[in-house]
Every structure is written in C-alpha cells, then in structure tokens.
Amino acid sequence: MLSKRVIPCLDVRAGRLTKGVKFEGNVDIGDPVDSARRYYEAGADEIVFYDITASAEQRGIFLDVVEKVASAIFIPFSVGGGISSVADMRAVLLAGAEKVSINSAAVKRPELISEGADAFGSQAVVVGMDVLRVPACPATPSGYEIVIHGGRTRTGLDAVEWARRCQTLGAGELCVNSIDADGTCDGYELVLTRMIAEAVTLPVIASGGAGKPEHCHEAVSIGGASAALVASIVHYGRYTIRQCKEEMARRGAKVRLTW
C-alpha cells in the first residue's frame, strides 16, 4: 500500500504567497521560496505551486520563482497556472519542477493532456479540477461542475465525466479542488472527492477545506484520496505538517514519518 501524502499548496500572485476564501479576497502572506523550504524541512511529501492569476491574466508563469523554489527543496514539486502548451510545460520542467498541473487550458483544449503525456510521460501531467457544487441536471448529473479561470468561468462540464476523460487522455494524477470548501477550514468536500476517486484509477489529490489534522485523514479514508492538499492550516501556523501526518498515522493511514 502506497503512503498517503500531505502536500502544502503555495498559491502565488505577483510572485508572493497569497491565501483567500473560495478563490476570493486573496491577501499576501509571505515569500513562496521561504515557505517551500520550511515545508520541505517539516516533512512535506510534495509541494504544489500555483500561479493563481496567470490564466486569467493571459500570461506565462513566474519561472524565476519556480527556479528558486526548485533549488530550495528536494522533494517532488508540481507547478500550475498559465500553462497552455507543450512548450510551457517544457519550460516549467526545465526550471526544476517534476510535474506540471494544467487546468483551464486542458478544458479549452483537452488534447493538451495527451500532448504532455506523450512528450514527458503521464507521471509528469497533473490535471487540476476546480469544482463547484450545482443542482444535478442532464448536463451535470453528478451535481458538480468544472469551472476555470480561477473559478471565474463556468463550463457546463460534469466533474465526474471530465475526470474520466482526463484519465483516458493520459493524465497521471488529478487534483480535485472544491471551490465551495476552499479556504473555509471546515473540511474537504468528501462526497466530491469520493465520486472522483471511484470514477478513475488515477491518484486523486483532495484540495480545499482542510482546517485540522483530522480533515487530512478524512480525505484519504472517507474521500478515498491518495493525498491531502493543505494551505491555510499550515500557512497560518495553526498546525504543522508533522501534526497532520501523526494524526493520520494514529488513525491508521500509512504515511511517511521519517524526518
């Protein structure tokens, strides 16, 4: 059985670490390079870096920040935001990331998933899914809809069907972020997470809503996720990576505790 992972998420805007609630009201909370180094030293299994406004602002990602973060840590590191071509993927991987995360661009042009997998291997391609809870209807029978551009644009795509398609196209991993739960610290959207985890055979990262270590365990047990993405819970010093992983281990999850 593979170890369950705890992954700090660094949302970056204008080169600074930010945090908001439900994708709104983002405030500057520090330097992403210092934060990445701190989380690496604290035992994070991976780190995710999102340039949260790159797609909406139609610009490339901050490669200088990617290079600095990559030089500061020695664990898997994925990068997303503003990646819309194989050339963009290559630039991010050459800057030091091990994985690229594509979201809005993949929805607009799904073949980008296959192009990335063909060029760099499926293990390097993560598809990020920003998901909004909606009334179930013929277009979105699961009751969950994919949104893009940092939550600004609804697509009409059913989240579960999109997850299945991403797997077929060659994605190596899915990061499922609930906009409804994002930044609330009330816990992950476990129904959504479980739906996606049961619909695909890929590793699924639960994202959005962690407020205490128990939530991380719920994500990998009730939600069926392979990993729990954390942000506010660690950014504001409420809990540490170690506390999250020790609580998961205490409740029976297999985690990496060697540091």
Side-chain angles (χ1 to χ4, degrees):
M1 181 174 65
L2 296 176
S3 295
K4 302 299 185 180
R5 295 164 290 154
V6 176
I7 306 175
C9 176
L10 306 179
D11 286 343
V12 178
R13 181 173 186 169
R16 297 289 293 175
L17 185 63
T18 69
K19 191 66 190 119
V21 177
K22 298 184 180 181
F23 283 23
E24 297 179 352
N26 289 287
V27 295
D28 187 330
I29 60 172
D31 177 64
V33 180
D34 289 342
S35 296
R37 183 184 297 110
R38 184 170 67 252
Y39 295 141
Y40 161 64
E41 293 172 348
D45 297 296
E46 297 182 24
I47 289 178
V48 169
F49 167 94
Y50 287 136
D51 189 341
I52 60 173
T53 58
S55 292
E57 294 172 0
Q58 297 184 332
R59 59 168 174 77
I61 204 161
F62 293 113
L63 288 175
D64 58 330
V65 178
V66 175
E67 290 172 349
K68 291 175 183 176
V69 171
S71 68
I73 62 175
F74 301 95
I75 53 176
F77 175 39
S78 63
V79 174
I83 299 172
S84 59
S85 67
V86 170
D88 291 339
M89 294 179 184
R90 182 175 290 107
V92 167
L93 294 171
L94 288 174
E98 292 192 61
K99 305 176 186 179
V100 293
S101 181
I102 52 177
N103 187 327
S104 300
V107 173
K108 293 177 183 177
R109 200 171 68 85
E111 56 267 33
L112 179 62
I113 300 171
S114 298
E115 291 169 1
D118 289 343
F120 309 111
S122 290
Q123 80 289 339
V125 181
V126 180
V127 176
M129 301 171 54
D130 291 329
V131 184
L132 183 69
R133 187 169 55 247
V134 297
C137 68
T140 52
S142 71
Y144 293 95
E145 180 181 350
I146 295 293
V147 294
I148 59 175
H149 297 147
R152 298 170 179 83
T153 306
R154 294 177 62 169
T155 67
L157 285 175
D158 182 79
V160 174
E161 289 306 311
W162 175 238
R164 292 192 181 109
R165 189 176 183 196
C166 290
Q167 174 167 296
T168 299
L169 289 168
E173 194 166 25
L174 302 177
C175 184
V176 182
N177 185 58
S178 167
I179 290 182
D180 300 287
D182 181 71
T184 65
C185 297
D186 292 331
Y188 297 93
E189 226 286 23
L190 299 175
V191 174
L192 167 66
T193 305
R194 189 83 195 183
M195 276 189 181
I196 301 296
E198 290 180 344
V200 299
T201 58
L202 301 176
V204 171
I205 303 170
S207 174
K212 53 186 178 181
E214 297 95 306
H215 291 156
C216 296
H217 184 263
E218 290 172 355
V220 302
S221 56
I222 300 171
S226 298
L229 205 71
V230 294
S232 298
I233 184 176
V234 292
H235 293 340
Y236 295 125
R238 296 179 185 133
Y239 296 96
T240 64
I241 298 291
R242 186 181 187 95
Q243 286 174 308
C244 293
K245 296 177 80 170
E246 286 180 339
E247 180 64 17
M248 293 168 72
R250 187 184 72 79
R251 291 171 177 256
K254 181 181 178 182
V255 296
R256 182 182 66 91
L257 289 172
T258 55
W259 61 77

